[in-house]
Amino acid sequence: DLYGKRNSKYIERPSSGASKVIFFKVKNKQISEDILQDVFLKIQLKVHNLKDSSKLTSWVYQITRNTILDHFRKDNNLFSLES
């Protein structure tokens, strides 16, 4: 059961790795923290959709990857609007 507070430890381990991946890609602590917060929110909102808890780590990394890509897409759109 991944839904309760007692099982938050299952999310902590992959999210620790996720924060490192985010910072490695973004290279900005504040933006990395914002992206990590978005990742946590998405995990909390979608954890009930996870069918196989053994795939939690790869699921978290996929959410992390997609959230980083979303950030760069949004950032790119802002840059092109400012030009």
Side-chain angles (χ1 to χ4, degrees):
D1 177 59
L2 296 171
Y3 309 115
K5 286 182 183 177
R6 64 188 172 90
N7 291 318
S8 64
K9 65 183 175 193
Y10 293 116
I11 304 253
E12 289 174 12
R13 190 177 319 148
S15 65
S16 171
S19 65
K20 292 174 186 175
V21 168
I22 294 167
F23 185 76
F24 178 77
K25 295 287 186 186
V26 176
K27 309 267 192 281
N28 179 300
K29 185 178 180 190
Q30 182 63 43
I31 293 171
S32 296
E33 290 172 356
D34 291 344
I35 292 172
L36 185 61
Q37 187 174 19
D38 289 344
V39 168
F40 273 125
L41 180 60
K42 289 176 183 180
I43 290 169
Q44 291 299 318
L45 293 174
K46 302 288 185 174
V47 72
H48 64 278
N49 293 335
L50 183 63
K51 305 287 188 232
D52 183 357
S53 62
S54 69
K55 297 183 179 185
L56 175 67
T57 301
S58 56
W59 182 73
V60 169
Y61 281 114
Q62 189 63 39
I63 290 173
T64 302
R65 179 186 171 279
N66 291 341
T67 306
I68 292 168
L69 289 173
D70 290 344
H71 163 75
F72 284 119
R73 282 186 201 114
K74 183 176 93 175
D75 194 42
N76 219 8
N77 287 339
L78 288 175
F79 180 73
S80 64
L81 288 175
E82 292 174 357
S83 299

